[in-house]
Amino acid sequence: MRNKALSVLGLLALMLVLAACAPNATQSSLDPAGPTAQAEKDLFVPVFWTAVAVFVIVEGGIVLIAVKYRRKKGRDRMPPQMHGNTRLEIGWTILPAVVLAVVMVPTVGLIWDLARAPAPDALHVTVKGYQWWWGYQYTDQDMVTSADKPLEVADVLVIPEDREVYLSLESDGGLIVNDDPYKTDYQVIHSFWAPRLFGKQDVVPGRTNHILFSADEPGVYTGQCAEFCGLEHARMKFRIEVLSAADWAAWVANEKLGGADSADALAAKGQELFMNPLSDGRGSCTACHAIGGTDAGAIAGPNLTHFAADTHSCFAGCNWETSDIEALKAWLRDPEAVKLGAKMPNYQLTDDEIDALVAYLYTLK
Amino acid sequence: MASLSVPASSSRGMRRPSALTGFWSWFTTVDHKKIGLMYGFSSFFFFVVGGIEALLIRAQLAQPDGTILNADQYNQIFTMHGLTMVFLFVMPMSAAFFNYMIPLMIGARDVAFPRINAFSFWAFIMGGLFLYSSFFLGGAPNGGWFGYAPNSTTDPTIGMTFYALGLLITGIASTAGAVNLAVTIINMRAPGMSLFRTPVFIWMGLVVQFLLAFSLPIITVALFQLLFDRRWDTAFYDPTRGGDPVLWQHLFWLFGHPEVYILILPSFGIISEIIPVFSRKPLFGYQFVVFSGIAIGFIGFGVWAHHMFAVGLGPVANTAFGLSTAIIAIPTGVKIFNWMGTMYKGDLWFATPMLYSVGAVAMFVIGGLSGVTHAIVPSDYQQTDTYYIVAHFHYVLFGGAIFGLFSGMYFWWPKIFGRQLNEKAGKWQFWVQILGFNLAFGPMHILGLQGMIRREYTYPASLGLTFWNQISTAGAYLIALSVLMFIINVIRTQRRPKGLANEDPWDARTIEWMTSCPPPVHNFDEIPTIHSLDEFWHRKYVEDHKTGTLVPVQAGAAPEHDEGRPTGGHAIHLPSPSFWPLVAAIGLPIIGYGVLYSWWLVGIGAFVMLVGFYGWALEPSVAEG
């Protein structure tokens, strides 16, 4: 029995060691890439080791007592009867209380620090949760298009490195109201979480929550909705692309431009399909989507102005790479076939129409 | 109760059933032992069903981009897994132990209100069947056991309406049961049994009944509002019309956190009985354990918002609830030391009940430590809604609660059935289970910290989560194996003839072991008079209080040793069976279906209930003849 108990404990210890060196976990809160996630980890790690110490003492005590005082064959022992020891019991009440009090001091400090006001030069972004994708609106005065509208992107939030970002979280669904209740985009609670950059905050209808964070290095960081929000909660993902100062300036300049008419014949056909109602009353792309610089200005679906920009590396809740042409075609052919409950309708597009639309979308750099 | 004899002439021709044995007697019984058994077997059935759901979940997550279940099926399965394990297994299994053991441990012949007891059981069964009927009527609940609005109010499938109605029905069952058992403990103890001479299991039972009585009304309000939002388009949780979705969370967790202690305290009570027996020592610091249990009961109502740190309640609320969460860790944690103190220098006999009790303590320590990290609010921003939380509460509720319940089953099986479960098979089951348990839930800590969210039906290979998910799935199937071993052990044991070589097989301490195994229908021929805590033990052993040594009482030196043993008990009057509680309970799901489908059904259900209560009130107090 002792061997088994020890092997269970040994296995647990082994697991923890292995966990510490899992190089392929790409969304790990233990691998912070910015001061907010770093501060949260720095609070967790000492508490974790304190817990490990308590674990070793208590579990070790249980195993030692179990081994030492276990009944042995041929020995009928009447143990001494101990009913309690008040001083001892008060002691082991106060001791954990003291440990917890010590732990709570930096905890309370960080709660308030994370709730501080943003720096004056912080980048302000409003994050909007829909069923089941994320949209972002840049709300600083200089972050507007040539038509003087705020810059809007979907799926991938783009930010500069080393600059404080102040997110305002809003649940902005409810914009697609359909006779079919399964096709209605409901305003529900989401939670915005990029583990390597910041801990999560819920996106609650009727409220505005905030996250303050910054990223140390350029790179792409993944995240996803963490609060159960219905059918495709598992695939409501996003990326945060962090750019160097120079790349950021170029990105902003490009984002301010609207879409341009395409010279390519196929793409031009796609543009025509996109901008006009489809034949046989099948519906219209512009019912939900906006493309800057054109007449398409609906806000219920993702803004597609720069759909094919390098930074917009994934689409439809970040489940597919934008460069994956087959995935894009499959999505246009029947969204619900690849993402159950997707609110984008199946317009019964023909293969030719899909080819044209894909060609058009790929011109939206 | 039964002594309030109503003249037969006032019965208006109604008769009470009198059969105490046979198939139909199970439907009319008001005997706490039979009801306890029915609670036990039906909740174990739901445990198996909920376990199969867990295996489906783990099969789906064994691979990235799993295709065994689609999103819709997965959401129903994980919701029903949670609902089943909480409301249809751990709560009623605890009720099974309370029902069977409380009267025996306090020297009563039954609970205070035997027919209400039967009604509680049937209402629980009706609630469970009602919830599961949703699978055949358009889809099971799919918004999680926590049912967060507005997702739960707007979801277009019928499932969450079943959720609201089903939980209201099981809530009626639990409320009635809670009042009944609390009254039983307070009023029906044997002569001499002051509250501080009751076993810790009784104390924990009392705390749990008060937690139920005070927390269930809160979820009842929340569920009615959810039902009205869904069915009659009210706007309690609809922010676009002045409602507040966070209101649901406050109400749910103000119930939900005491609920955690409703699930774990019965196990603490069982452990507190079993460790002293198998250590041959009294519980170390009885008062301390009792008072910390009571403290948990009170503080448990003041920590609910630690489930909501990421909701945006603001730094003041987050600070306050972080501190209160740290505080509740203290009374919860100190019990561990008391149990260790009980084992210290004891004569430890590692029979299966003891293995499970010590296993529960060891596993609960892990769940408790991970629980403390939730009080560290900023690190909880990272961990909430991830598999880290899933790991935490499975260590608490499986490692703490369910291990404790298995401990109780092995301990009291000879008491209840007059047969002992096979010890060798029991030990194998324990080691397979604890290994499977740690493989299944240990890696979830790592998965959560590595960014795996809860309630996701799939994950991509690119997140690097595959390995630990596979280990976890393997562990889940090991747990299933251990439960199968238990079922086989039970079947093989029940096929053997009744009879124990020794009716006190564990050298027990409390008075339920003073009567026969299984106990007669009237429990004790003569209710024993209680002189001390661990009454039965002190009738067997004399303790020298100066040296703390123990001397067995010489045979014949204690004439009252056999006071409780049955000699026939012919003159003892017991409540007669009744089928009216079952009739009244059948009305509940009919009303539920009526709310879903037709007002006519509501009327019919209400009529059935009314008939049930009418018959209940007016039937004669005893069976004729």
Side-chain angles (χ1 to χ4, degrees), chain B residues 48-125:
Chain B
V48 172
V49 174
I52 290 168
E53 286 159 353
L55 295 179
L56 282 171
I57 291 170
R58 285 315 322 166
Q60 165 76 5
L61 295 179
Q63 293 290 332
D65 304 318
T67 51
I68 293 167
L69 301 170
N70 67 24
D72 183 30
Q73 293 161 336
Y74 185 89
N75 293 346
Q76 293 179 44
I77 293 291
F78 88 73
T79 301
M80 287 305 288
H81 168 70
L83 290 174
T84 303
M85 290 308 191
V86 169
F87 292 101
L88 306 180
F89 171 53
V90 176
M91 281 174 81
M93 185 56 89
S94 303
F97 280 105
F98 288 143
N99 254 288
Y100 204 103
M101 287 302 154
I102 284 176
L104 283 168
M105 290 173 93
I106 64 173
R109 301 213 185 279
D110 207 316
V111 294
F113 308 109
R115 286 182 294 178
I116 291 181
N117 202 23
F119 174 74
S120 296
F121 169 72
W122 291 115
F124 146 65
I125 288 290

Side-chain angles (χ1 to χ4, degrees), chain A residues 82-126:
Chain A
M82 294 177 287
H83 293 268
N85 182 325
T86 308
R87 285 166 74 177
L88 203 57
E89 289 164 51
I90 290 173
W92 69 46
T93 309
I94 290 175
L95 192 67
V98 170
V99 173
L100 284 167
V102 170
V103 166
M104 287 315 284
V105 171
T107 298
V108 173
L110 189 56
I111 291 174
W112 287 84
D113 187 48
L114 292 178
R116 71 184 187 274
D121 69 334
L123 179 71
H124 289 70
V125 182
T126 297

Side-chain angles (χ1 to χ4, degrees), chain A residues 29 59 71 77 81-82 200 202, chain B residues 310 346 348 362 384 449 548:
Chain A
S29 66
E59 304 285 8
R71 184 178 291 179
R77 197 164 61 86
Q81 303 290 294
M82 294 177 287
K200 62 192 74 64
D202 290 357
Chain B
L348 307 184
T384 187
L449 294 171

Side-chain angles (χ1 to χ4, degrees), chain B residues 78-417:
Chain B
F78 88 73
T79 301
M80 287 305 288
H81 168 70
L83 290 174
T84 303
M85 290 308 191
V86 169
F87 292 101
L88 306 180
F89 171 53
V90 176
M91 281 174 81
M93 185 56 89
S94 303
F97 280 105
F98 288 143
N99 254 288
Y100 204 103
M101 287 302 154
I102 284 176
L104 283 168
M105 290 173 93
I106 64 173
R109 301 213 185 279
D110 207 316
V111 294
F113 308 109
R115 286 182 294 178
I116 291 181
N117 202 23
F119 174 74
S120 296
F121 169 72
W122 291 115
F124 146 65
I125 288 290
M126 296 301 155
L129 295 178
F130 180 85
L131 267 176
Y132 267 91
S133 71
S134 61
F135 273 112
F136 310 102
L137 296 170
N142 58 359
W145 89 289
F146 62 107
Y148 270 15
N151 184 53
S152 58
T153 54
T154 56
D155 186 274
T157 63
I158 201 169
M160 293 311 281
T161 317
F162 269 101
Y163 163 91
L165 289 161
L167 293 194
L168 283 169
I169 295 172
T170 59
I172 290 169
S174 299
T175 309
V179 173
N180 198 354
L181 292 173
V183 172
T184 304
I185 294 171
I186 292 168
N187 284 332
M188 297 182 66
R189 299 189 306 279
M193 184 179 264
S194 63
L195 273 175
F196 278 91
R197 285 179 186 166
T198 61
V200 172
F201 180 72
I202 300 297
W203 269 110
M204 294 304 127
L206 189 61
V207 173
V208 166
Q209 308 318 318
F210 276 106
L211 284 172
L212 282 166
F214 290 120
S215 67
L216 284 168
I218 304 167
I219 189 73
T220 303
V221 168
L223 289 169
F224 267 114
Q225 291 177 347
L226 175 63
L227 182 64
F228 275 60
D229 269 15
R230 285 188 62 84
R231 193 69 183 78
W232 294 292
D233 202 30
T234 54
F236 291 105
Y237 307 125
D238 180 356
T240 61
R241 290 184 287 161
D244 185 358
V246 178
L247 172 64
W248 166 270
Q249 298 186 23
H250 282 298
L251 292 174
F252 184 83
W253 291 117
L254 193 43
F255 151 79
H257 203 81
E259 171 71 17
V260 172
Y261 299 103
I262 289 166
L263 298 173
I264 189 73
L265 288 181
S267 166
F268 282 5
I270 291 169
I271 292 167
S272 300
E273 296 309 315
I274 288 174
I275 289 180
V277 168
F278 292 87
S279 305
R280 289 193 142 183
K281 281 180 64 198
L283 184 65
F284 192 92
Y286 168 88
Q287 282 91 342
F288 203 77
V289 174
V290 168
F291 279 117
S292 65
I294 296 171
I296 289 172
F298 280 99
I299 308 172
F301 280 96
V303 297
W304 77 90
H306 70 209
H307 299 265
M308 302 164 60
F309 282 146
V311 170
L313 301 179
V316 176
N318 282 0
T319 302
F321 282 96
L323 291 171
S324 69
T325 303
I327 288 168
I328 201 166
I330 297 164
T332 315
V334 291
K335 285 184 155 86
I336 306 286
F337 297 116
N338 286 76
W339 291 322
M340 287 169 73
T342 309
M343 289 166 65
Y344 180 68
K345 288 193 173 174
D347 177 33
L348 307 184
W349 175 17
F350 281 98
T352 311
M354 182 65 162
L355 278 179
Y356 263 108
S357 277
V358 176
V361 174
M363 295 303 106
F364 181 78
V365 168
I366 300 172
L369 287 171
S370 61
V372 170
T373 62
H374 304 330
I376 313 303
V377 182
S379 86
D380 187 66
Y381 294 156
Q382 288 283 13
Q383 290 139 17
T384 187
D385 283 317
T386 70
Y387 263 81
Y388 188 85
I389 304 292
V390 180
H392 158 71
F393 69 72
H394 279 96
Y395 269 88
V396 172
L397 294 181
F398 197 134
I402 296 180
F403 275 39
L405 292 174
F406 270 113
S407 181
M409 289 186 222
Y410 274 93
F411 180 62
W412 279 308
W413 204 272
K415 177 81 260 166
I416 294 170
F417 296 101

Side-chain angles (χ1 to χ4, degrees), chain A residues 26-41:
Chain A
T26 53
Q27 192 174 285
S28 174
S29 66
L30 300 176
D31 184 17
T36 299
Q38 185 70 49
E40 287 161 347
K41 184 193 171 189

Side-chain angles (χ1 to χ4, degrees), chain A residues 132 229-236 338-342, chain B residues 71 75 457:
Chain A
W132 291 274
C229 55
L231 206 52
E232 284 286 358
H233 162 59
R235 297 204 287 173
M236 183 171 169
V338 290
K339 193 175 181 185
L340 203 63
Chain B
N75 293 346
Y457 74 97

Side-chain angles (χ1 to χ4, degrees), chain A residues 48-324:
Chain A
F48 172 75
W49 287 113
T50 310
V52 167
V54 175
F55 172 86
V56 169
I57 292 166
V58 174
E59 304 285 8
I62 291 172
V63 171
L64 276 180
I65 291 171
V67 169
K68 182 160 185 206
Y69 299 107
R70 74 186 188 282
R71 184 178 291 179
K72 288 168 185 137
K73 281 212 172 81
R75 188 184 67 169
D76 193 15
R77 197 164 61 86
M78 283 298 173
Q81 303 290 294
M82 294 177 287
H83 293 268
N85 182 325
T86 308
R87 285 166 74 177
L88 203 57
E89 289 164 51
I90 290 173
W92 69 46
T93 309
I94 290 175
L95 192 67
V98 170
V99 173
L100 284 167
V102 170
V103 166
M104 287 315 284
V105 171
T107 298
V108 173
L110 189 56
I111 291 174
W112 287 84
D113 187 48
L114 292 178
R116 71 184 187 274
D121 69 334
L123 179 71
H124 289 70
V125 182
T126 297
V127 177
K128 298 182 176 193
Y130 304 83
Q131 284 180 318
W132 291 274
W133 58 279
W134 294 96
Y136 315 96
Q137 190 177 60
Y138 293 83
T139 53
D140 289 310
Q141 280 181 349
D142 57 339
M143 296 291 282
V144 290
T145 64
S146 46
D148 209 27
K149 285 184 177 164
L151 292 183
E152 292 208 21
V153 293
D155 299 310
V156 184
L157 172 64
V158 182
I159 59 166
E161 67 173 318
D162 272 336
R163 180 168 159 199
E164 203 163 72
V165 181
Y166 189 61
L167 301 179
S168 299
L169 310 174
E170 290 173 7
S171 182
D172 206 32
L175 299 171
I176 303 173
V177 182
N178 196 304
D179 290 341
D180 178 358
Y182 293 90
K183 284 288 181 190
T184 298
D185 181 11
Y186 296 101
Q187 213 181 10
V188 301
I189 298 174
H190 303 282
S191 194
F192 198 64
W193 185 40
R196 295 190 62 198
L197 293 174
F198 49 82
K200 62 192 74 64
Q201 281 289 305
D202 290 357
V203 185
V204 184
R207 300 189 175 213
T208 303
N209 287 333
H210 299 284
I211 294 172
L212 195 56
F213 78 104
S214 59
D216 294 336
E217 301 281 342
V220 178
Y221 305 92
T222 62
Q224 64 191 108
C225 173
E227 186 60 270
F228 184 72
C229 55
L231 206 52
E232 284 286 358
H233 162 59
R235 297 204 287 173
M236 183 171 169
K237 298 180 196 147
F238 63 89
R239 291 175 190 171
I240 295 180
E241 174 134 19
V242 180
L243 299 177
S244 65
D247 288 347
W248 168 252
W251 181 82
V252 172
N254 182 56
E255 282 295 311
K256 289 181 175 181
L257 303 173
D261 289 342
S262 177
D264 179 73
L266 190 60
K269 188 188 161 205
Q271 182 174 11
E272 198 184 315
L273 282 167
F274 189 96
M275 293 299 166
N276 299 297
L278 295 161
S279 59
D280 304 326
R282 286 176 294 165
S284 169
C285 303
T286 54
C288 294
H289 294 288
I291 292 180
T294 72
D295 292 338
I299 56 168
N303 186 306
L304 301 177
T305 310
H306 297 279
F307 178 83
D310 290 343
T311 52
H312 187 256
S313 54
C314 52
F315 70 95
C318 268
N319 289 292
W320 299 279
E321 300 299 314
T322 309
S323 57
D324 183 347

